[in-house]
Amino acid sequence: MTNWTSKETVDKYTQWNESPAGVFALRAKMKLIADLISGWPRRGRRFLEVGCAAGRMTEMFYHAGFDVTGLDCSPSMLEAARELLGQRAEFFLGKAEHLPFEDRQFDYVGVGSVLEFVDDPEAVLEEALRVASRGVIVTVYSKWSLYYLSRNCSGADFADDRTWLSPFAVDRMLRNQVETGLFTRRSILLGPVCTWRDAPVCNWLNSSILPYGFGALSGVCIDKNDTKMTIPLMVKKCSAKPSILNACRTNLAARNSASTFDK
């Protein structure tokens, strides 16, 4: 399995995220998650991101309005996350299978692209559900996708030994552990990795929110207490998601411009 504590892995992860395909995939992931959590209240709500890596998604959750905490097993990743977010978030070193938190300590928990890299994904989900009082969101790259078929292409990924899961396997694991709750499922990134770039046809192909399991990245949002949307539909569609995404896109653009200038 991928050694997330090694500098080589961190460097490969950074290179992937700074590549055109990696930047495109990150924007798509933000769009998917913004869609899935658009009904969650945020002000004053505690959010834990399990597997926060270098903090780019943690930053999105911060801009969404949550009080954010990140956890990762890699000291190098946490160092990068702390550099990115400063005092805006708390960070902890630990394993997703054994979270160092009390039951229901957080309102919401996010598990993003972690299950593919652990020996016991069900333990990760059990821990996430344990420390979340209101809801959990899980994303996973699917083996039922054109991304999976193109995984051997040059530059297609930063980790070549992930355990590919089907979205329905993840859904089944969650169903085995959640007795009551409202499930929302979506996916994004329909095309293979060679189409993850800014071009009219590619944007049309990969930027639409899709039914669960159709895209490379699938997400499941669980409201543990059957909580309903607290944001009216028109506000959710017209205001909530764009405000989050615009803030994140501005930060991504600024970082990309800075990287280009440094080069």
Side-chain angles (χ1 to χ4, degrees), residues 141-202:
Y141 280 96
S142 169
K143 70 182 297 182
W144 294 357
S145 66
L146 292 173
Y147 177 46
Y148 172 74
L149 296 177
S150 67
R151 67 193 183 281
N152 294 323
C153 295
S154 176
D157 203 350
F158 61 90
D160 54 9
D161 64 344
R162 71 169 79 220
T163 300
W164 291 86
L165 302 169
S166 75
F168 294 104
V170 175
D171 191 76
R172 184 172 59 253
M173 284 188 280
L174 286 166
R175 281 292 183 190
N176 288 338
Q177 300 189 40
V178 179
E179 294 182 1
T180 61
L182 177 67
F183 277 56
T184 306
R185 306 169 182 83
R186 304 280 191 275
S187 69
I188 202 167
L189 291 170
L190 181 61
V193 70
C194 62
T195 66
W196 295 5
R197 55 192 176 89
D198 284 316
V201 174
C202 295

Side-chain angles (χ1 to χ4, degrees), residues 4 10 13-14 17 26 29-30 33 47-62 67-86 88-97 99-101 106 108-118 124 128 137 139 158 255:
W4 287 101
V10 174
Y13 175 84
T14 301
N17 277 290
L26 181 62
K29 185 174 185 178
M30 288 178 176
I33 290 177
F47 189 100
L48 170 67
E49 186 187 9
V50 177
C52 65
R56 296 193 176 188
M57 291 305 302
T58 318
E59 187 178 37
M60 175 197 163
F61 292 120
Y62 170 82
D67 297 333
V68 290
T69 298
L71 176 137
D72 203 272
C73 65
S74 168
S76 298
M77 289 290 193
L78 289 178
E79 182 180 354
R82 290 190 180 102
E83 183 178 348
L84 177 64
L85 280 105
R88 295 178 293 171
E90 289 188 287
F91 292 99
F92 292 86
L93 181 68
K95 291 188 175 182
E97 302 94 321
L99 297 178
F101 305 112
F106 298 90
Y108 299 104
V109 175
V111 181
S113 303
V114 173
L115 303 183
E116 305 100 304
F117 299 103
V118 297
V124 174
I137 182 170
T139 58
F158 61 90
R255 284 199 293 272

